Amino acid sequence: MPEFTIHGITAPQRMSERLSTVSVTHVGKTPAQMAEELGHQGVFTWHGNNYAVELTTALGLEPHGMLRIGMVHYNTKDEVDRLLESLENLA
């Protein structure tokens, strides 16, 4: 999905270094707009700087911050697929 930027490790050979939390931005929507639209689809996320204002400032993402998506070990493949479908609906 080219309209999204994933902030953090994206190289396939480094996936073992990633955590399950993913932060993204979108070229045409603020993180707050994305969180609201995803919430209407039953996908719950967070937006802002997530207490890392120095990082989001250094990345040039203030005042809006990023959209934070938290996945954990008990999320199913179907839930991940639903998340991806919901993100595609934002585009």
Side-chain angles (χ1 to χ4, degrees):
M1 292 179 254
E3 57 277 345
F4 289 95
T5 298
I6 298 173
H7 299 277
I9 296 169
T10 59
Q13 67 273 20
R14 294 186 61 203
M15 282 299 117
S16 64
E17 300 173 49
R18 267 215 71 99
L19 298 175
S20 58
T21 300
V22 180
S23 294
V24 301
T25 51
H26 186 281
V27 296
K29 296 180 185 285
T30 68
Q33 291 169 326
M34 290 189 291
E36 182 176 358
E37 289 181 36
L38 289 168
H40 290 303
Q41 297 179 58
V43 175
F44 303 104
T45 59
W46 303 264
H47 64 89
N49 60 39
N50 301 297
Y51 305 104
V53 70
E54 295 296 328
L55 173 64
T56 54
T57 299
L59 292 173
L61 299 175
E62 285 302 319
H64 301 291
M66 300 176 272
L67 179 75
R68 179 179 169 185
I69 303 166
M71 303 297 290
V72 291
H73 64 281
Y74 55 75
N75 285 109
T76 66
K77 180 185 178 314
D78 288 341
E79 289 170 327
V80 174
D81 289 343
R82 189 164 77 82
L83 167 65
L84 293 173
E85 182 179 317
S86 296
L87 288 172
E88 286 177 349
N89 289 338
L90 293 179

